[in-house]
Amino acid sequence: MFNKQPRQDVSTGTVQPPLSQAVGYIVVVLIGVIIALVMMLVTKVLKKTTGEDNKKTEMFMTANRTVRTGLTASAVISSWLWSTALLGSSFTGYNYGVSGPFWFAAGCSPMIVFFALLGISCKRKIPEAHTSLEVVRIRYGRVAHIVFLILCLINNIFASANMLLGASAVISAMSGMHIIASIFLLPVGVTVYTFVGGIKATFLTDYFHTTIILIIACYFSVKAFQSDQIGSIGNLYDLVKEAAIRNPVSGNQAGSFLTMTSKDGILFGILHICSNFGLVIMDTSYFIKAFSASPRAVVPGYTIGGIMYFAIPWGLGTVMSSVALGLENQSNFPTYPRRMTPSEVTSGLVLPYAAITIAGKGGAAAILLMIFMAVTSTLSAQVIAVSSILSFDVYREYFNKHATDREIIRASHLGVIFFAAFAAGFSTMLHYVGVDLGWTLYMLGVVTCPGIFPMIFTVLWRRQSRAAAILSPILGLATGLAVWLSTAQHFGGEVSVATTGQVLPCVYGTVASCFSPIVYSVGITLLRPQRYDWDDFKKEKLALGKVEGLEIVHEQHETQASENIEAGRVRSAPDTQELKRWGRIAAFWSAATFLGHWVLWPLPMYGSHYFYVAWVVVGITWLWATLFVATLYPILDGGYQQILQVYRGLRAGSSGTVGDHDTTSASGGSVSGSLEKDARGTTDSV
């Protein structure tokens, strides 16, 4: 009964949902509420036993800037575990062959690692900041601040819509739950635990959700080869070869799915790396997590997280798209005897249909849970990002300059509720005009990329002028939109949802949006040159009260101090030279990751006519390694200390004395691994 396959309505060709609506509502509503209640309890316990008070702004928004390397890496992996990544990597593999999941992963990983450079630069130059927009305002003033504020909000709105549309389509297909009900109910649990727990709740739920997602992904990487229809990687290879005979891929060697020569695949890779560059740089949640991390955790956390993340879209996407291609002519494939329609593919149904084929209703339930975990985890990051913008960059800056902790927290809470409701409404609007996951995935870069290089220059280039910072993203957005719409008209004969969602217009528009601001910024800066003094950043007080991640923590009692030192909980802020060394390490890993993923790896594969077995083996191995890094590293890197601290606090029934402990024992301070050895010559104690 549990493995019964979904039936297809022969008269209409539609696939009947394998699960009942009740299952959909249980996952979306009940599990969401349970997670929210658990996080509320965890928040209360942490306040009682470790003194982490989310009524304090610095704790609510930045976790006192003390999050350790392990939890940072896990949160970084989770930040890109979008439902889009899980669904999109599979449908690009279905469309382009093995190059699709590779280009999907290569479009994400280098950008995440590059952010380590921006993160450590911000830590060094403006350590008290809460959002990237504060950096813009201090350097360029309010006009530039408003321009970037709008660009960042656009980024968050479209990113959230992309997640909700993809996840809701899959939930509807798996359970029959109405897609609009899914869109509006998914943010409910997220809103509750983010409202209560702030950024620390986001970090902790990121860890929990990432663990569940990776366990399910690793399960499918094994289950695929336990199927009687497949049995081994070699048999799957033969099935995919036969699929190319039935439905060859345009541009690939002999139409095969097993080469990297697909022109459309390469175009998608270019489109995807530009789009993701925008999604990372213009997503305030990435800056918030960097500001929340300990200064010594930013570079290794983002580097390890970015490198390990690569395996998820690559490994899972390769295996599951191969399963769909190889078995879609079998009677137990949901759409048999027909192929999947383009609408089904771009709605993200390749992954769930493949899962149903090899695991029946159990596979459908696993995918339902996986997508729910993915969308709620990443949506939480988007909610807290917009909440921080509305509280710090709107309320504190334009309405109440001297806002207290309580007032900023109240504004943050209102921001959480407002954005969750707005994102659901905006996604509903897109659904009713015919937009799906594929359309938003392809066009995202057009609206998210114009601010990339002006933002990077703000942090890394002291010569960018105020006029350049204001005008270049505006001109870049106008250029990108014009190119996008005009090429859609040229290639499609009209401007419509269908033509603007094609790969080629989106590639042209995204590249124009991404790179034209470089020309505008440099040109305007040469006309009106300026030179900014980085020390001016530190003249403005941004933090509310003492922030333990920024200074030496002095204890009143010598005995208590010695205990904390022994436990590794008191750490002096790293000096400027140490932060510069971290910056050099971040620059090296950024360049190495980009060259590895875009030059040293794909070029030999492009020249190879066929490859598969080693490709899949490495992908699955990497995927399992990511599971262990994301789940065990945060526990080994200080997590066990907080667990012991909470246990002792609960056992002692103490709520006052432990509150004086430095919360770096929970989440910040130390860094382990070879990256830190390179930077400092020694490995810090944990």
Side-chain angles (χ1 to χ4, degrees):
M1 180 69 180
F2 194 62
N3 290 315
K4 185 178 179 181
Q5 300 294 329
R7 293 176 297 176
Q8 182 179 171
D9 188 326
V10 179
S11 61
T12 62
T14 58
V15 178
Q16 300 301 308
L19 305 173
S20 67
Q21 285 193 32
V23 175
Y25 281 101
I26 287 172
V27 171
V28 173
V29 179
L30 184 59
I31 294 181
V33 170
I34 291 173
I35 292 174
L37 292 175
V38 169
M39 286 313 307
M40 292 171 66
L41 177 62
V42 169
T43 300
K44 184 176 180 179
V45 170
L46 288 176
K47 179 181 179 181
K48 178 180 179 180
T49 59
T50 68
E52 295 184 4
D53 187 359
N54 279 301
K55 292 183 179 179
K56 299 293 184 182
T57 302
E58 293 300 330
M59 186 65 219
F60 186 85
M61 283 296 180
T62 64
N64 276 341
R65 306 170 197 268
T66 56
V67 179
R68 286 182 184 262
T69 304
L71 196 55
T72 299
S74 178
V76 166
I77 293 171
S78 179
S79 293
W80 273 105
L81 266 181
W82 291 20
S83 54
T84 310
L86 302 171
L87 302 172
S89 60
S90 296
F91 94 61
T92 55
Y94 184 90
N95 282 339
Y96 311 130
V98 292
S99 69
F102 176 86
W103 291 125
F104 200 107
C108 300
S109 190
M111 301 301 101
I112 300 171
V113 176
F114 173 78
F115 196 87
L117 178 60
L118 285 187
I120 199 64
S121 296
C122 288
K123 283 286 190 183
R124 181 164 60 89
K125 295 169 183 173
I126 183 165
E128 290 190 9
H130 304 89
T131 72
S132 56
L133 295 174
E134 289 179 327
V135 181
V136 173
R137 176 183 57 79
I138 293 170
R139 180 167 177 180
Y140 301 119
R142 285 189 168 184
V143 175
H145 182 242
I146 292 173
V147 169
F148 278 86
L149 188 151
I150 294 172
L151 290 174
C152 286
L153 288 176
I154 289 173
N155 179 84
N156 291 118
I157 290 167
F158 274 92
S160 300
N162 180 249
M163 299 175 204
L164 287 172
L165 286 171
S168 298
V170 170
I171 291 171
S172 177
M174 293 297 96
S175 67
M177 183 178 179
H178 196 286
I179 194 168
I180 302 304
S182 177
I183 287 175
F184 274 93
L185 290 174
L186 279 171
V188 172
V190 174
T191 302
V192 173
Y193 70 70
T194 306
F195 184 98
V196 175
I199 190 68
K200 188 61 179 287
T202 299
F203 272 97
L204 294 176
T205 51
D206 282 350
Y207 173 78
F208 173 72
H209 289 182
T210 301
T211 300
I212 299 299
I213 293 168
L214 286 172
I215 289 173
I216 295 173
C218 289
Y219 161 75
F220 281 123
S221 72
V222 174
K223 182 65 177 177
F225 304 105
Q226 292 180 333
S227 167
D228 294 336
Q229 296 169 290
I230 299 175
S232 68
I233 297 177
N235 289 340
L236 184 59
Y237 168 79
D238 293 335
L239 289 169
V240 175
K241 282 181 64 177
E242 294 171 5
I245 298 174
R246 298 191 301 269
N247 302 288
V249 182
S250 175
N252 275 15
Q253 178 75 24
S256 173
F257 289 98
L258 304 173
T259 75
M260 295 280 286
T261 58
S262 169
K263 178 183 176 182
D264 287 341
I266 295 172
L267 288 174
F268 171 76
I270 296 170
L271 167 67
H272 195 56
I273 193 169
C274 291
S275 297
N276 282 318
F277 206 1
L279 287 171
V280 170
I281 304 302
M282 301 307 293
D283 188 344
T284 314
S285 69
Y286 262 81
F287 281 92
I288 291 175
K289 288 181 178 179
F291 291 139
S292 300
S294 160
R296 295 186 178 97
V298 174
V299 174
Y302 274 79
T303 302
I304 293 170
I307 292 173
M308 299 313 297
Y309 168 84
F310 183 89
I312 301 170
W314 176 47
L316 181 68
T318 298
V319 171
M320 298 307 281
S321 63
S322 296
V323 169
L325 289 167
L327 300 182
E328 66 179 345
N329 66 332
Q330 302 295 315
S331 60
N332 63 332
F333 194 80
T335 64
Y336 181 83
R338 62 173 176 84
R339 289 200 80 197
M340 294 180 67
T341 65
S343 176
E344 287 173 322
V345 173
T346 57
S347 292
L349 298 182
V350 173
L351 174 62
Y353 283 178
I356 292 170
T357 304
I358 60 177
K361 285 190 174 183
I367 291 297
L368 188 64
L369 182 60
M370 173 190 271
I371 297 304
F372 170 77
M373 291 292 179
V375 71
T376 52
S377 179
T378 49
L379 189 60
S380 173
Q382 299 300 313
V383 167
I384 199 71
V386 174
S387 170
S388 68
I389 292 174
L390 296 179
S391 57
F392 283 101
D393 294 293
V394 177
Y395 177 72
R396 188 187 187 193
E397 178 61 26
Y398 297 105
F399 294 94
N400 189 353
K401 195 76 173 177
H402 304 288
T404 62
D405 267 321
R406 183 174 182 178
E407 290 169 334
I408 292 178
I409 292 294
R410 183 169 63 241
S412 300
H413 287 166
L414 293 174
V416 167
I417 297 171
F418 167 77
F419 182 69
F422 182 85
F426 184 75
S427 301
T428 300
M429 182 271 292
L430 291 180
H431 170 71
Y432 278 119
V433 299
V435 166
D436 60 13
L437 169 67
W439 190 90
T440 55
L441 179 64
Y442 289 152
M443 66 74 58
L444 265 176
V446 178
V447 294
T448 62
C449 287
I452 294 174
F453 286 100
M455 179 65 81
I456 292 173
F457 292 158
T458 298
V459 178
L460 301 180
W461 187 35
R462 67 170 73 241
R463 294 185 179 274
Q464 179 172 247
S465 67
R466 178 178 301 173
I470 294 171
L471 294 176
S472 59
I474 297 175
L475 295 173
L477 179 60
T479 302
L481 289 172
V483 170
W484 176 46
L485 296 177
S486 61
T487 51
Q489 171 71 38
H490 174 75
F491 291 111
E494 61 177 353
V495 177
S496 64
V497 171
T499 60
T500 54
Q502 297 298 311
V503 173
L504 210 52
C506 291
V507 169
Y508 284 125
T510 298
V511 170
S513 285
C514 183
F515 294 104
S516 63
I518 300 178
V519 178
Y520 296 136
S521 178
V522 173
I524 296 171
T525 296
L526 291 176
L527 291 175
R528 301 188 62 180
Q530 291 178 321
R531 183 180 177 86
Y532 188 74
D533 184 354
W534 298 123
D535 289 336
D536 288 349
F537 274 137
K538 299 177 182 178
K539 294 178 181 179
E540 185 160 341
K541 177 71 174 176
L542 295 175
L544 283 77
K546 186 178 94 169
V547 183
E548 290 140 344
L550 304 180
E551 59 189 55
I552 299 174
V553 180
H554 297 284
E555 298 290 345
Q556 294 181 354
H557 303 289
E558 183 177 351
T559 302
Q560 180 65 58
S562 63
E563 290 175 358
N564 285 344
I565 291 172
E566 183 180 354
R569 294 196 286 259
V570 173
R571 306 298 303 272
S572 61
D575 59 29
T576 302
Q577 291 303 314
E578 183 179 346
L579 291 176
K580 286 183 178 180
R581 285 195 297 272
W582 278 120
R584 289 192 292 270
I585 291 174
F588 167 79
W589 280 104
S590 299
T593 306
F594 180 82
L595 290 174
H597 288 162
W598 281 84
V599 179
L600 300 179
W601 189 345
L603 287 184
M605 296 295 98
Y606 185 88
S608 300
H609 288 177
Y610 299 101
F611 52 88
Y612 191 73
V613 175
W615 184 271
V616 173
V617 169
V618 173
I620 293 174
T621 304
W622 199 336
L623 181 63
W624 278 84
T626 301
L627 170 64
F628 290 114
V629 169
T631 56
L632 296 181
Y633 189 20
I635 296 175
L636 297 175
D637 185 40
Y640 71 93
Q641 293 178 349
Q642 181 163 37
I643 294 172
L644 290 175
Q645 187 180 1
V646 170
Y647 172 74
R648 289 167 184 160
L650 291 175
R651 187 176 180 182
S654 173
S655 61
T657 56
V658 292
D660 294 330
H661 286 222
D662 179 14
T663 55
T664 53
S665 64
S667 52
S670 69
V671 181
S672 59
S674 60
L675 281 171
E676 186 171 9
K677 290 180 181 179
D678 294 339
R680 306 180 61 201
T682 59
T683 303
D684 290 350
S685 61
V686 177

